[in-house]
């Protein structure tokens, strides 16, 4: 297999004790301010070798700044960065040996594909035969054989980004940093390229950190997602953790669609409208007492026939066709006449067609509620404003 | 493929241990930035400081506060100069800005033929020293002028001649600013107006005019300042009419009253500083009508309108060509107006002036050095300012200093050079009277525009290039050499041409600091005109024009060839 990475992946894979003690990258207490604006405060994060991490958050949340600090392109005001127990906080970018893929590609327009890819190799005292074989491998890797002599202007956006990727990994970086690498591309190309990048990262055993504001991109690519808001880390977890058990209302609202209902917690029970049931264990915490906000994802509810035993009576107010599924807006009297959205697959719709104005039943999975203190209610607007 | 892992195995081993060494890039950046700032301080700020301090001192060098300014204000003759300068400048603005606007409107908003030719004609005066229209006007309307009867007994020597020459001299500035302002318009606004059945007149006042208002303010300010501080025109055609720039010259050269000269120099700074402030303020209020989605306005052919515009532009072109034509003709005749036979005698400069052809070659030499060093400085400085400014006080300081010359008239800077470089205590006074000081002064005088040209060109280059090369472990100077400079070549050629042409035509900047061996062509024109050798003065002025025009032509050809050769990769730069 092609090992272009200088990462310590092999150490962890070998189960070596020393390597598992020190994470590949340890970020501790990073602060950054521009004038009076706090871009980052007290960001702490460990990255394991071979991991694919996504920084996810709305624009202005500090995720790009954090990436640039890791790269050494910005200087943090406080905090440390260690790599395998070595302090790299003050190293200039060149000495960190990290590859970066930029949103704008940053391909040199006056150099052709070949010259762009080998740009970082030329001053490494590599023999030209070595450079050539390396170039051929990379060209094959990004599937651009025959285009070595073309200039960036003669390539499509997706091809340009692939050349930029080859250029970034050519000098065998220890870590690959991707700054919104796909946001300038068409939707179709984006999906294709995100699989390619992920595939390449796995095959080469690269450690990678990607910045994105696209939750779908983060969920589909990352081993772990770092959700950020206002310069602070809100949650670190696997995509399923972040999606199913968000730690704050902001994360809940930013990642996917949420139904948001006011509720009360007392004596380990959550009550919404006239309903009352046991508090979901994950959210049964000291701060979730009294007034709370309960959230439930639209795809986790099921529509049933009106009057079904395990369902609440509801009325269909709106139906929206969204291609692969339908989204129905219901009014549920038992929830205090609250409006909720429920997603129906095409098959659901075929099994039990519903129409606007009809009475139906809706089943709520009580253990799937996410619950947050009412004091976070301001975060709803923030996460939806994107 | 598999052997790659082993090949990189060696690198991987010591790749994980870092060798924190000196960050050479940082050191180089800091050193070059500091050097740039130091040079900019010497050629721009310190001479100005010397001028300012001189204006507060008496003959013995004691600090006297505002005494010099008070005695200036009490001198009725000098006071009159302020008034004269003001009304001449205001009248020049009132005439040239509408003319230039009209000219630009025809060039950008009609489908008249020969646009390129007429734009070229309107810009022609920029290649000539300001002395040229003044001398030519004397040939046309002077005591022996062929159109003297048009003056109805009035004299061309004085405000009338000054204003006429200023209009000629300033027209290119207005046309350059206004064609740019008028060229960018959102066609959708005009289409909306059309669907609402709006008259052409109302469309002009509600859409066109508001969008170019700031262009007009800018053009007016540029003309106003140029007219107040220009030295050459008033010197040649002003007669006994006193203006500020002339007063400086008289006080320094005529009466050796350096303090009073410094006072007038300080006064001359006011209009330009004012301009600078007004420009900054209006710039802030300027909201662009052009959004990313704007559709560029393409003028539609309209027979009547296009013909009318062509006619009007042609009528305006006549005096420009007339003035230059007169200068060409006068340079080739034996003795105007008595013997109009063809002769090259006027080009035998040695017969009129001891400097002879040397002044011309001095000019070329000075222009070449100015273009060389000025371009290197402006581009390097612009590069550091644009790409490495963040967090660097040195570069911020440099950027501010680089903006200063915009507000400093040439004659004021030249005066500052006398005070600063002539100080016996200044170790730099060895350059006094040499070509070096002339080149320094000319670079300093014209520094702002090239600095901004470099910034503009570099802004269009992806700001991530530096970050990308840093991450790839390539030093910034390698990327500068391999990527940034090749992309910027057209801008670099532009900057060099700007320096060259201005160095050829400048008078005011160097009139105080030339030495007997470094007299340049534009100074020779003044001298020849003073001694009554108008034919030779015309010939010398034309030599300057020919040389500037030649260099300008060379620039156009070189840029065309270059763009053609690099078409393959440049095509994308325009879209981005």
């Amino acid at each position: 297999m092609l090992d272009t990475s200088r990462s310590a992946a092999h150490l962890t894979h070998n189960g070596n004790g020393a390597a598992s003690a020190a994470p590949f990258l340890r970020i501790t207490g990073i602060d950054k301010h521009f004038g009076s604006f706090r871009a980052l405060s007290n960001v702490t994060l460990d990255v394991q070798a071979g991991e694919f991490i996504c920084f996810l958050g709305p624009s202005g949340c500090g995720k790009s700044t954090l990436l640039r600090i890791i790269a050494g392109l910005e200087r943090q005001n406080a905090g440390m960065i260690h790599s395998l127990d070595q302090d790299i906080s003050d190293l200039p970018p060149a000495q960190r040996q990290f590859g970066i893929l930029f949103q704008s590609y940053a391909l040199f327009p006056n150099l052709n594909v070949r010259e762009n890819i080998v740009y970082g190799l030329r001053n490494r005292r590599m023999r030209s035969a070595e450079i050539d074989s390396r170039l051929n491998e990379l060209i094959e890797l990004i599937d651009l054989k025959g285009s070595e002599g073309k200039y960036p202007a003669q390539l499509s956006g997706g091809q340009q980004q692939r050349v930029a990727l080859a250029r970034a990994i050519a000098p065998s970086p220890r870590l690959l940093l991707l700054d919104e690498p796909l946001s300038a591309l068409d939707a179709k190309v984006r999906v294709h390229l995100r699989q390619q990048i992920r595939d390449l990262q796995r095959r080469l055993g690269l450690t990678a950190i990607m910045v994105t504001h696209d939750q779908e991109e983060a969920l589909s690519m990352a081993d772990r997602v770092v959700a950020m808001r206002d310069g602070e880390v809100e949650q670190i977890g696997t995509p399923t953790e972040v999606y199913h058990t968000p730690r704050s209302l902001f994360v809940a609202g930013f990642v996917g669609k949420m139904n948001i209902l006011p509720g009360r917690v007392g004596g380990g029970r959550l009550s919404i409208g006239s309903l009352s049931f046991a508090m979901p264990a994950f959210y049964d915490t000291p701060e979730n007492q009294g007034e709370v906000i309960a959230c439930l994802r639209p795809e986790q509810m099921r529509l049933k026939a009106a009057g079904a035993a395990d369902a609440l009576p509801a009325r269909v107010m709106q139906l929206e066709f969204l291609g692969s599924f339908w989204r129905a807006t219901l009014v549920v009297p038992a929830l205090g006449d609250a409006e909720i959205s429920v997603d129906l697959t095409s098959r659901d719709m075929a099994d039990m067609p519903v129409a606007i104005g009809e009475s139906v039943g809706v089943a709520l999975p009580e253990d799937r509620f996410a619950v947050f203190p009412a004091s976070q209610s301001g975060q709803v607007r923030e996460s939806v404003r994107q | 493929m598999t052997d790659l892992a082993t090949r990189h195995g060696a690198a991987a081993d010591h790749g994980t241990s870092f060798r924190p060494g000196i960050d050479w890039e940082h050191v180089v950046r800091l050193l070059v930035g500091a050097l740039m700032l130091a040079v900019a301080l010497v050629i721009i700020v310190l001479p100005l400081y010397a001028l300012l301090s001189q204006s507060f001192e008496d003959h013995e060098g004691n600090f006297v506060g505002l005494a010099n300014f008070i005695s200036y204000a009490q001198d009725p003759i000098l006071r009159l100069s302020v008034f004269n300068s003001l009304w001449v400048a205001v009248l020049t603005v009132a005439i040239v800005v509408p003319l230039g606007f009209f000219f630009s409107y025809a060039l950008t908003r009609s489908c008249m033929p020969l646009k390129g030719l007429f734009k070229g004609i309107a810009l022609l005066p920029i290649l000539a020293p300001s002395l040229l229209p003044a001398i030519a006007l004397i040939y046309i309307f002077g005591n022996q002028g062929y159109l003297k009867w048009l003056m109805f007994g009035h004299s061309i020597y004085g405000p009338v001649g000054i204003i006429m020459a200023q209009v000629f001299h300033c027209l290119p500035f207005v046309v350059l600013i206004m064609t740019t302002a008028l060229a960018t318009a959102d066609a959708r606004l005009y289409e909306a107006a059309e669907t609402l059945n709006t008259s052409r007149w109302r469309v002009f006042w509600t859409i066109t005019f508001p969008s170019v208002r700031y262009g007009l303010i800018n053009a007016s300010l540029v003309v106003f300042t140029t007219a107040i501080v220009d030295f050459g025109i008033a010197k040649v055609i002003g007669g006994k009419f006193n203006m500020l720039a002339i007063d400086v010259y008289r006080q320094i050269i005529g009466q050796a009253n350096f303090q009073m000269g410094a006072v007038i120099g300080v006064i001359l700074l006011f209009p330009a500083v004012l301009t600078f402030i007004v420009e900054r303020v209006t710039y802030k209020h300027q909201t662009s009508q052009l959004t990313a989605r704007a559709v560029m306005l393409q003028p539609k052919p309209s027979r009547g309108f296009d013909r009318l515009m062509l006619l009007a532009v042609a009528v305006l072109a006549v005096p420009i060509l007339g003035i230059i034509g007169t200068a060409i003709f006068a340079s080739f005749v034996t003795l105007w107006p008595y013997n109009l036979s063809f002769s090259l005698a006027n080009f035998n400069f040695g017969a009129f002036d001891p400097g002879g052809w040397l002044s011309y070659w001095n000019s070329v030499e000075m222009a070449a050095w100015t273009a060389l060093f000025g371009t290197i400085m402006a581009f390097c400085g612009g590069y550091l300012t644009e790409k490495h400014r963040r967090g660097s006080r040195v570069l911020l300081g440099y950027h501010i200093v680089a903006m200063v010359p915009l507000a400093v008239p040439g004659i004021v800077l030249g005066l500052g050079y006398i005070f600063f470089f002539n100080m016996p205590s200044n170790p730099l006074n060895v350059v006094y009277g040499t070509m070096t000081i002339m080149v320094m002064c000319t670079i300093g005088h014209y520094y702002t525009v090239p600095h901004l040209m470099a910034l503009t060109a570099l802004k269009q280059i992806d700001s991530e290039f530096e970050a990308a090369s840093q991450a790839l472990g390539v030093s910034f100077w390698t990327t500068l050499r391999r990527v940034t400079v090749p992309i910027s070549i057209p801008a670099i050629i532009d900057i060099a041409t700007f320096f060259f042409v201005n160095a050829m035509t400048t008078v005011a900047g160097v009139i105080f600091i030339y030495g007997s061996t470094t007299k340049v062509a534009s100074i020779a024109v003044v001298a020849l005109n003073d001694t009554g050798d108008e034919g030779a003065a015309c010939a010398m002025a034309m030599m300057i024009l020919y040389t500037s025009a030649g260099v300008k032509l060379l620039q156009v050809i070189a840029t065309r060839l270059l763009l053609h050769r690099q078409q393959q990769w440049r095509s994308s730069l325009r879209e981005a």
Side-chain angles (χ1 to χ4, degrees):
Chain A
M1 201 186 91
L2 179 65
D3 173 28
T4 46
S5 137
R6 214 184 277 143
S7 75
H10 56 287
L11 295 179
T12 19
H13 292 165
N14 294 347
N16 193 310
S20 57
F24 176 72
L25 195 71
R26 167 159 283 173
I27 297 159
T28 26
I30 295 287
D31 277 354
K32 175 74 185 175
H33 45 80
F34 299 105
S36 61
F37 173 70
R38 287 193 79 80
L40 291 173
S41 43
N42 196 22
V43 172
T44 296
L45 171 72
D46 279 358
V47 178
Q48 302 300 334
E51 234 185 343
F52 196 105
I53 298 278
C54 275
F55 293 169
L56 175 67
S59 49
C61 72
K63 55 192 192 300
S64 280
T65 309
L66 182 57
L67 191 86
R68 293 179 76 87
I69 287 174
I70 296 173
L73 297 170
E74 299 273 356
R75 183 80 175 77
Q76 66 275 18
N77 295 105
M80 311 269 277
I81 304 174
H82 286 85
S83 180
L84 298 174
D85 267 346
Q86 292 194 40
D87 187 358
I88 61 166
S89 315
D90 297 323
L91 282 187
Q95 291 176 25
R96 298 188 187 200
Q97 300 162 350
F98 294 168
I100 309 178
L101 190 58
F102 295 93
Q103 180 178 8
S104 63
Y105 321 140
L107 286 177
F108 304 127
N110 60 327
L111 305 182
N112 61 28
V113 169
R114 187 200 133 81
E115 291 163 326
N116 262 292
I117 294 178
V118 301
Y119 196 79
L121 299 177
R122 295 224 326 194
N123 58 339
R124 278 166 199 266
R125 292 199 207 100
M126 268 171 90
R127 273 178 287 118
S128 68
E130 253 182 289
I131 292 183
D132 277 347
S133 76
R134 181 102 180 106
L135 173 77
N136 289 332
E137 282 158 12
L138 288 163
I139 288 273
E140 220 160 89
L141 208 59
I142 59 165
D143 211 8
L144 269 180
K145 215 156 181 61
S147 300
E148 292 92 333
K150 286 189 179 165
Y151 289 99
Q154 296 163 316
L155 302 175
S156 72
Q159 288 172 327
Q160 289 183 39
Q161 193 56 296
R162 269 144 61 195
V163 174
L165 181 62
R167 184 182 66 179
I169 60 178
S172 312
R174 310 174 60 246
L175 172 68
L176 183 62
L177 301 170
L178 306 105
D179 187 3
E180 306 236 9
L182 305 173
S183 61
L185 298 168
D186 299 338
K188 284 248 157 119
V189 183
R190 199 151 64 199
V191 172
H192 178 66
L193 202 54
R194 97 184 167 204
Q195 283 163 356
Q196 272 203 329
I197 291 177
R198 184 63 170 128
D199 186 45
L200 213 69
Q201 178 264 338
R202 280 213 188 96
R203 272 206 286 159
L204 305 182
L206 274 167
T207 314
I209 299 177
M210 182 171 91
V211 158
T212 180
H213 64 266
D214 181 339
Q215 42 117 353
E216 196 184 302
E217 212 167 278
L219 296 181
S220 69
M221 292 176 81
D223 290 321
R224 282 195 299 153
V225 173
V226 177
M228 295 181 67
R229 164 177 169 252
D230 289 346
E232 290 182 54
V233 174
E234 288 273 299
Q235 184 170 4
I236 304 176
T238 64
T240 45
E241 280 168 6
V242 170
Y243 187 78
H244 289 302
T245 50
R247 291 237 180 232
S248 70
L249 188 56
F250 173 78
V251 176
F254 189 75
V255 182
K257 163 94 180 158
M258 270 292 188
N259 286 299
I260 292 170
L261 301 162
R264 272 196 68 79
V265 174
R269 290 188 74 76
L270 170 64
S271 35
I272 307 166
S274 57
L275 288 185
S276 175
F277 46 86
M279 185 77 171
F282 184 82
Y283 289 101
D284 199 1
T285 57
E287 68 241 38
N288 275 335
Q289 294 296 330
E291 300 291 320
V292 294
I293 294 165
C295 301
L296 195 59
R297 298 218 179 264
E299 74 275 10
Q300 284 167 338
M301 289 175 268
R302 289 185 63 85
L303 281 198
K304 308 227 160 164
D310 52 349
L312 304 171
R315 181 177 293 277
V316 180
M317 305 305 288
Q318 259 181 50
L319 263 180
E320 208 181 342
F321 179 54
L322 293 166
S324 58
F325 65 95
W326 294 76
R327 179 160 289 168
T329 308
L330 313 178
V331 167
V332 186
L335 296 175
D337 275 339
E339 276 199 358
I340 57 168
S341 297
V342 176
D343 286 355
L344 306 170
T345 62
S346 299
R347 187 179 300 160
D348 292 339
M349 198 66 172
D351 290 348
M352 196 197 83
V354 294
I356 293 174
E358 270 186 1
S359 291
V360 290
V362 60
L364 308 182
E366 293 167 355
D367 56 335
R368 291 300 184 121
F369 272 98
V371 185
F372 307 103
S375 57
Q376 289 187 5
S377 59
Q379 297 178 7
V380 178
R381 241 171 297 119
E382 228 177 291
S383 58
V384 177
R385 213 186 298 138
Q386 307 322 316
Chain B
M1 255 209 188
T2 35
D3 61 330
L4 195 77
T6 45
R7 238 186 295 137
H8 281 272
D13 284 345
H14 62 78
T16 47
S17 70
F18 303 101
R19 278 162 292 137
I22 303 168
D23 185 358
W24 282 110
E25 298 207 20
H26 189 68
V27 174
V28 168
R29 200 154 42 216
L30 204 72
L31 280 180
V32 176
L35 181 72
M36 300 287 314
L37 178 60
V39 172
L41 283 176
V42 168
I43 67 172
I44 297 165
V45 174
L46 293 179
L48 284 176
Y49 174 75
L51 170 86
L52 274 175
S53 64
Q54 192 78 209
S55 70
F56 295 109
E57 287 170 5
D58 63 13
H59 292 285
E60 276 80 47
N62 302 315
F63 183 78
V64 292
L66 290 173
N68 291 329
F69 289 87
I70 291 164
S71 68
Y72 177 88
Q74 284 165 345
D75 186 331
I77 299 172
L78 291 176
R79 253 190 349 237
L80 185 65
S81 304
V82 175
F83 179 68
N84 285 346
S85 287
L86 280 176
W87 75 260
V88 162
V90 168
L91 217 56
T92 306
V93 169
I95 295 169
V96 75
V97 171
L99 284 182
F101 175 80
F102 186 75
F103 207 107
S104 313
Y105 189 83
L107 288 178
T108 50
R109 298 293 173 90
S110 81
C111 285
M112 59 170 252
L114 304 175
K115 279 185 187 176
L117 175 73
F118 282 107
K119 186 165 184 193
I121 291 173
L123 298 185
L124 208 49
I126 236 175
L127 302 172
S130 61
L131 306 157
L132 183 104
I135 298 173
L137 283 171
I138 294 174
Y139 275 108
I140 301 173
F141 299 110
N143 289 338
Q144 289 161 332
Y146 58 89
L147 291 179
K148 193 189 171 196
W149 55 273
L150 272 177
M151 297 293 293
F152 302 108
H154 294 282
S155 169
I156 189 76
Y157 299 97
V160 182
I162 293 176
I163 290 172
M164 284 167 86
Q166 292 284 15
V167 167
F168 174 90
H169 178 57
C170 294
L171 185 71
F173 307 141
V174 182
V175 170
L176 274 178
I177 295 171
M178 292 322 298
T179 46
T180 315
L182 283 162
T184 49
D186 190 348
R188 295 174 307 169
L189 294 177
Y190 289 87
E191 278 162 9
E194 211 173 307
T195 57
L196 295 169
N197 211 5
T198 319
S199 72
R200 205 164 187 148
W201 185 244
R202 213 168 147 234
V203 168
F204 178 84
W205 286 110
T206 52
I207 303 174
T208 310
F209 187 75
S211 73
V212 299
R213 206 164 32 197
Y214 292 103
L216 282 171
I217 293 176
N218 258 342
S220 305
L221 291 171
V222 167
V223 171
F224 181 77
T225 323
T226 312
I228 281 205
V229 304
D230 184 82
F231 168 77
I233 290 175
K235 177 89 178 70
V236 170
I237 206 170
K240 291 194 172 62
F241 188 74
N242 269 349
M243 286 182 72
L244 282 168
I246 297 295
D247 280 348
V248 179
Y249 185 71
R250 288 211 186 109
Q251 295 290 340
I252 301 291
I253 303 293
Q255 305 175 12
N257 186 348
F258 290 101
Q259 282 67 36
M260 202 45 78
V263 167
I264 307 172
V266 171
I267 291 170
L268 274 175
L269 278 173
F270 282 123
V273 171
L274 190 76
T275 303
F276 194 70
I277 293 167
V278 172
E279 207 186 345
R280 287 284 110 183
V281 171
T282 54
Y283 183 77
K284 271 187 199 141
H285 289 282
Q286 184 168 15
T287 48
S288 179
Q289 287 194 338
L290 281 179
T291 55
R293 289 195 297 163
V295 182
M296 279 301 154
L297 179 72
Q298 297 289 346
K300 293 193 195 102
S302 149
R303 256 182 112 81
F305 180 69
D306 294 345
R307 280 193 183 167
L308 187 74
M309 286 294 135
L310 179 64
L311 185 73
V313 166
V315 167
L316 282 174
V318 167
I320 302 174
L321 292 176
I323 284 173
I324 291 174
T326 303
I328 296 176
F329 184 71
S331 68
F332 284 118
V333 298
T334 316
L335 186 63
W336 180 286
Y338 308 108
N339 184 352
L340 295 184
S341 60
F342 176 82
S343 153
L344 285 175
N346 286 328
F347 288 88
N348 184 16
F349 299 123
F352 308 97
D353 185 73
W357 274 91
L358 181 66
S359 336
Y360 172 74
W361 293 116
N362 275 340
S363 259
V364 175
E365 189 191 340
M366 184 182 88
W369 288 126
T370 303
L372 179 68
F373 289 112
T375 307
I376 294 174
M377 266 189 73
F379 190 81
C380 286
Y383 171 77
L384 287 176
T385 312
E386 179 56 35
K387 304 293 183 190
H388 301 281
R389 175 163 43 174
R390 292 192 67 175
S392 169
R393 294 234 175 83
V394 170
L395 290 174
L396 184 66
Y398 166 79
H399 178 62
I400 292 169
V401 171
M403 295 305 293
V404 168
L406 200 61
V408 182
I411 200 157
V412 176
L413 191 67
L415 198 55
Y417 268 58
I418 307 186
F419 296 140
F420 180 65
F421 288 97
N422 214 10
M423 270 191 288
S425 56
N426 187 346
L428 286 171
N429 74 7
V430 289
V431 301
Y432 202 76
T434 64
M435 182 57 86
T436 313
I437 194 173
M438 310 267 285
V439 172
M440 285 162 78
C441 182
T442 312
I443 292 177
H445 179 192
Y446 293 107
Y447 202 68
T448 305
V449 174
H451 175 70
L452 292 177
M453 285 162 89
L455 283 187
T456 311
L458 288 161
K459 245 186 202 74
Q460 286 161 359
I461 299 177
D462 193 333
S463 57
E464 302 286 24
F465 281 1
E466 275 63 36
S469 56
Q470 272 188 308
L472 289 167
V474 179
S475 59
F476 76 80
W477 53 85
T478 306
T479 301
L480 177 64
R481 177 175 58 83
R482 287 195 62 200
V483 180
T484 313
V485 170
I487 294 177
S488 314
I489 288 279
I492 292 174
I493 297 178
D494 265 6
I495 292 172
T497 311
F498 179 89
F499 269 124
F500 191 96
V501 168
N502 278 297
M504 281 305 291
T505 57
T506 188
V507 184
V510 292
I511 192 132
F512 292 131
I513 51 173
Y514 74 90
S516 51
T517 55
T518 58
K519 186 163 153 191
V520 290
S522 53
I523 305 292
V525 177
V526 177
L528 289 167
N529 187 66
D530 273 354
T531 52
D533 299 310
E534 277 104 350
C538 249
M540 188 64 99
M542 282 315 297
M543 282 312 297
I544 295 174
L545 178 65
Y546 295 142
T547 312
S548 312
V551 167
K552 188 78 200 162
L553 202 67
L554 217 61
Q555 177 213 353
V556 172
I557 294 169
T559 309
R560 281 253 169 93
L561 285 178
L562 201 77
L563 292 185
H564 183 71
R565 237 185 50 200
Q566 301 176 338
Q567 214 172 9
Q568 257 192 322
W569 59 266
R570 278 202 188 267
S571 55
S572 70
L573 291 181
R574 253 162 274 146
E575 292 163 29

